[in-house]
Amino acid sequence: MGLEQKLGDMGIVTTSLEKAVNWARSNAIWPMLFGLACCAIEMMSTQASRYDLSRFGMELMRASPRQSDLMIVAGRVSRKMAPVLRNLYDQMPDPKWVIAMGDCASCGGVFNNYAIVQGVDEIVPVDVYVAGCPPRPETLIDGIMKLQEKIKHEPLKKWQ
Amino acid sequence: MAIAEPPIRVEDSPLNQVKTEDVQLDITFEQLKRLVSPRALTGETMLLNMGPQHPSTHGVLRLLLELDGETIVSCIPDIGYLHTGIEKTAEGKTYLKVIPLTDRTDYLAPMSNNLAYCGAVEKLVGIDVPIRAQYLRVILMELTRMNSHLVWLGTHALDIGAMSVFLYCMREREMILDIYEAVSGARMMSSYIRPGGLWRDVPSHFPQLVQRVLDVFPGRLLEYEKLLKENPLWKERTVGIGKISAQDAIAWGMTGPCLRGSGVNYDVRKAQPYSCYDHFEFSVPLGSAGDVYDRYRCRMEEFHQSLKIIRQAMAKLPPGPVMTDDRKVAPPPKHEIAYSMESLIHHFKLWTEGFKAPEGEVYFAVESGKGEYGVLLSGDGSPKPRRVHFRAPSFHNLQPLGEISKGALLADIVAIIGSIDIVLGDVDR
C-alpha cells in the first residue's frame, strides 16, 4: 500500500485484484453437505455447538454440488461410491477445492482391501489431506485454515 | 498434514481405465421391471432417484422412488455404497486386531460393537471377565446408547425441520465424547473393550465426568421434550406415519426401538442378559402404534432408563482388576515384564502371534442403540478367525422400508428413514 502515508487517510485501500478476489474466496467457502462414514459425524461436530465452524466463514453447507466450492470427502470411498463422488465433483462449478478428511480418504486408512479406494486422490485432485481416524474437529478446522491459506496464494489464472 | 502440489492427474487413475461395457450384470430387464409397478413403464408414474448424496438419507443410502404425484408407489433401497469389506478384512487379522474394525461398523455406537465382538471371543475362548470390568462395560454401554440416540434425535429432528434440537443434541453428545476420550484416548473410535475386560482402568476423574452427565441430562431431556413431544408440527409429521405391525416387524427381523415401537417386548438385555445386566433394575419402554412417533417415544424413554442403569452401576461399582489374569489372552502389566521371564514370553507371544482360539462357532449379541448387534464368530484353532459375521441391526431395520413407505407422501420418507435410525456403515459394513 503506502499511498495512505503520502496522501493522508482518504478511506481508500489499494491492493491487487488477485489478492482481493482470493480474500473473498477464502473467507466464504461453501462446503458441500456430503458425508460418507465416521468422519462425517466428526464433520457434523465441527459444524455444531462446541466447535462452530461458522467462526471461519464456512458455515453454509450446501446439499447441492452446484452451489458449493469445497468438497470435504469425509470417510471411506468404496468402489461403488467412487463414480458417484467423481460425478459430484464434476458438477461443482469452478473454482473448487477438495479436502480429504481422515485416513481412509487420504490413503485407504485401515482398510487395505478390495472394497475401498486407496485414497480419494485416485479419482479427484486433493488440496489438503487431514490426518486422523477420524480427525478431531480441531484438526479439520486446521485443515480448512490451511486451505484458506492456500487459496490466498493462488494465481487468478488458475481458474480461467 | 500435507498440502498436495501439483494436483494429481485424475486421467491416470486406474479406476478411469475400467470401461462400462466391461462390467457384466446378471440381471435381466424382466427382473428389473418387476421392482416397479407396470404404470412406471407407461410413464404414468414418475421414477425419482434419491441419494446416495442426500442429507436426509443418513449417509450414502440410495432410494429409487416411484411416485404418483406426491404419493410413493414403490421404494427400492439400493445399499452397498459404503461397503468396506470389514468381515473379510477381519479374517486376515488376529483376534485382538479385529477390535478397531468393529468400531468402524456402527460408528455411532463403537463401544457396543466392541462389546459384541469381545463377548463372542470370550465365549469362544472361555474367558471370565472381572466384575468391575463388567460394571464399567454396562456404564459405557448405556453412555453409548445415549450417544447413538443423541445423534439420531438431532438428525431426525433436523430432517423434519427442527434445527435447534440438532445443536442441543450435539452439545450434550460432547459430554459423552469427553468420557470416551478420558477412558480410551479417542473421541470416537475407542477400541476400549478388549477380550477379558478393558484396556485399562478408568481414570480417577471418571466418576465426576459421569456424574456431570447424570446431573445435566434430566433437565436437557425435559428441554427436548418441551420442544417436540406436544409440538403440533412434530406430531403432524410423525403420528400415524410409517406404521408397521408387530407381526411384520418380527417377520422382517427388526430389533431395538423399531421393534419395541410396535409393542413387542424384546430386549437382548432382558432376554439374554450379558455383562451383569440382570443386576440392575430397569424397564423396557414399549410403543403400541408402531409409527414414527412411537419409535420416537421409545427412544426418548430409553434415555431415562439408561440414566437409571448408570446411576445404579456407579453406586455399586466394585473395586478390583479390570482385566482377566489369564496371561494367555491378557497382556501382562509392564512392570511385571521387567522381572518375570514368563511375562516377557507371554507379552512377546501375544503381540507377535496373538492368542489361539479353539475350533467352534459362537454367537453373541448385545442390545446396541439400534437393536440386536450380534457377532457370529467361527474359530479354526489358529490365532485368526475363520469367519466373522456381524448381525447389524441397521441392515435388518432397513429392509421393510419399501413396505412401510408405500402410500406415504414423498416428504414422509425422510421422517421414516430418520425413525428407523440406520447408519450406513452398519448396513454395508
Side-chain angles (χ1 to χ4, degrees):
Chain A
M1 319 269 165
L3 267 176
E4 292 89 341
Q5 281 85 0
K6 285 186 183 150
L7 302 173
D9 186 5
M10 300 191 300
I12 300 171
V13 179
T14 53
T15 181
S16 69
L17 178 65
E18 193 170 271
K19 273 189 183 151
V21 169
N22 283 343
W23 171 73
R25 278 178 180 168
S26 63
N27 287 307
I29 303 178
W30 290 10
M32 184 156 59
L33 184 51
F34 171 51
L36 287 167
C38 336
C39 288
I41 309 296
E42 281 299 62
M43 188 167 73
M44 274 159 57
S45 300
T46 316
Q47 297 278 332
S49 321
R50 189 186 282 183
Y51 296 97
D52 192 13
L53 195 58
S54 44
R55 292 177 294 161
F56 303 94
M58 291 223 182
E59 77 278 23
L60 212 55
M61 300 287 264
R62 304 312 293 186
S64 162
R66 304 267 185 218
Q67 300 168 347
S68 41
D69 317 304
L70 169 67
M71 177 191 256
I72 300 178
V73 185
R76 49 206 188 229
V77 183
S78 70
R79 302 250 160 205
K80 187 171 177 179
M81 192 65 198
V84 181
L85 190 127
R86 176 71 207 188
N87 199 1
L88 288 169
Y89 178 78
D90 288 340
Q91 285 176 338
M92 286 164 65
D94 280 343
K96 55 189 170 186
W97 298 276
V98 177
I99 289 181
M101 181 185 178
D103 290 352
C104 296
S106 302
C107 64
V110 292
F111 301 112
N112 187 2
N113 60 22
Y114 65 93
I116 295 297
V117 176
Q118 298 298 303
V120 76
D121 49 12
E122 283 188 19
I123 43 175
V124 291
V126 176
D127 291 284
V128 175
Y129 297 89
V130 180
C133 189
R136 297 176 64 89
E138 292 97 328
T139 324
L140 178 62
I141 291 172
D142 183 46
I144 285 171
M145 289 168 79
K146 285 243 179 4
L147 179 70
Q148 287 179 326
E149 208 51 47
K150 189 179 173 179
I151 294 169
K152 277 179 190 152
H153 295 101
E154 265 180 0
L156 207 52
K157 270 200 298 193
K158 193 181 165 188
W159 297 110
Q160 269 173 358
Chain B
M1 200 169 299
I3 297 177
E5 198 73 50
I8 293 146
R9 278 190 56 200
V10 171
E11 296 76 34
D12 298 341
S13 158
L15 278 173
N16 279 348
Q17 314 301 322
V18 183
K19 293 189 185 72
T20 347
E21 49 266 33
D22 292 347
V23 185
Q24 290 285 324
L25 288 173
D26 293 334
I27 308 165
T28 61
F29 181 62
E30 285 301 313
Q31 281 171 312
L32 279 175
K33 240 168 49 176
R34 237 174 284 144
L35 293 172
V36 291
S37 79
R39 289 195 294 158
L41 302 173
T42 59
E44 204 179 323
T45 55
M46 186 179 77
L47 288 178
L48 180 74
N49 179 63
M50 183 176 170
Q53 185 264 332
H54 191 282
S56 298
T57 54
H58 293 212
V60 284
L61 174 68
R62 178 177 171 232
L63 299 173
L64 188 63
L65 301 168
E66 188 192 347
L67 298 170
D68 181 5
E70 229 187 317
T71 315
I72 295 167
V73 180
S74 55
C75 160
I76 309 155
D78 179 9
I79 59 169
Y81 284 98
L82 197 59
H83 177 62
T84 318
I86 287 178
E87 290 178 4
K88 188 69 194 165
T89 309
E91 289 170 22
K93 298 202 179 282
T94 60
Y95 284 100
L96 210 55
K97 285 183 183 173
V98 178
I99 300 172
L101 298 179
T102 65
D103 282 334
R104 287 156 183 81
T105 58
D106 177 0
Y107 38 78
L108 297 179
M111 295 263 194
S112 310
N113 314 345
N114 288 169
L115 181 58
Y117 172 74
C118 292
V121 174
E122 283 154 11
K123 203 169 162 183
L124 183 67
V125 184
I127 310 166
D128 286 328
V129 181
I131 185 85
R132 181 177 167 85
Q134 297 203 15
Y135 272 56
L136 284 170
R137 281 177 177 189
V138 168
I139 296 168
L140 292 167
M141 280 288 287
E142 293 310 315
L143 286 169
T144 304
R145 188 182 323 282
M146 287 163 65
N147 180 7
S148 165
H149 282 2
L150 280 171
V151 177
W152 156 78
L153 182 63
T155 51
H156 185 36
L158 185 66
D159 290 345
I160 297 185
M163 174 84 192
S164 47
V165 181
F166 169 74
L167 293 170
Y168 293 146
C169 286
M170 294 307 266
R171 178 185 64 188
E172 267 72 88
R173 185 172 173 265
E174 292 291 338
M175 292 200 306
I176 295 172
L177 292 185
D178 282 346
I179 297 178
Y180 271 34
E181 201 178 342
V183 298
S184 73
R187 269 165 60 89
M188 272 176 76
M189 301 308 172
S190 53
S191 297
Y192 180 58
I193 297 171
R194 304 284 165 92
L198 304 170
W199 169 46
R200 60 174 183 190
D201 204 347
V202 289
S204 54
H205 63 299
F206 177 74
Q208 283 95 309
L209 288 173
V210 177
Q211 195 54 46
R212 194 165 64 119
V213 171
L214 293 175
D215 291 342
V216 168
F217 250 82
R220 299 282 162 86
L221 286 174
L222 215 62
E223 207 171 298
Y224 308 151
E225 298 270 19
K226 260 189 213 156
L227 282 167
L228 299 175
K229 194 179 174 185
E230 298 301 331
N231 184 338
L233 287 172
W234 178 261
K235 290 187 91 167
E236 193 70 28
R237 293 296 305 273
T238 55
V239 176
I241 308 291
K243 271 191 177 179
I244 185 159
S245 70
Q247 286 82 6
D248 283 349
I250 294 169
W252 282 102
M254 287 175 109
T255 45
C258 295
L259 180 68
R260 294 194 286 270
S262 297
V264 182
N265 192 351
Y266 175 74
D267 187 315
V268 186
R269 291 173 294 175
K270 290 277 189 196
Q272 307 146 30
Y274 52 91
S275 194
C276 292
Y277 261 109
D278 43 356
H279 293 197
F280 308 108
E281 261 179 52
F282 63 100
S283 58
V284 180
L286 292 178
S288 55
D291 57 0
V292 175
Y293 188 72
D294 272 23
R295 293 195 274 274
Y296 152 75
R297 289 298 316 142
C298 274
R299 290 198 181 93
M300 292 310 282
E301 279 305 313
E302 281 188 9
F303 274 118
H304 296 285
Q305 296 303 324
S306 291
L307 289 172
K308 198 173 158 188
I309 296 171
I310 295 172
R311 230 172 253 127
Q312 292 173 48
M314 284 306 285
K316 291 198 280 185
L317 187 64
V322 292
M323 193 66 170
T324 172
D325 51 5
D326 182 356
R327 291 278 175 267
K328 294 276 183 251
V329 289
K334 276 277 177 323
H335 63 86
E336 245 180 56
I337 299 171
Y339 61 84
S340 162
M341 189 63 201
E342 204 185 9
S343 286
L344 187 64
I345 293 168
H346 279 141
H347 176 86
F348 181 73
K349 286 278 274 183
L350 205 57
W351 298 121
T352 52
E353 193 188 57
F355 59 86
K356 286 182 179 136
E359 208 171 317
E361 206 169 69
V362 292
Y363 177 77
F364 186 83
V366 301
E367 181 75 26
S368 91
K370 296 176 178 63
E372 178 176 341
Y373 191 98
V375 173
L376 181 87
L377 189 65
S378 165
D380 57 358
S382 74
K384 291 174 183 175
R386 182 198 284 140
R387 176 87 170 94
V388 185
H389 173 70
F390 299 104
R391 187 232 180 260
S394 302
F395 178 79
H396 294 265
N397 291 350
L398 176 65
Q399 299 312 311
L401 181 67
E403 284 298 314
I404 55 182
S405 57
K406 253 178 207 160
L409 295 178
L410 178 59
D412 292 338
I413 192 97
V414 174
I416 296 170
I417 294 173
S419 79
I420 57 174
D421 190 19
I422 48 166
V423 49
L424 267 292
D426 200 21
V427 174
D428 295 337
R429 305 189 293 288

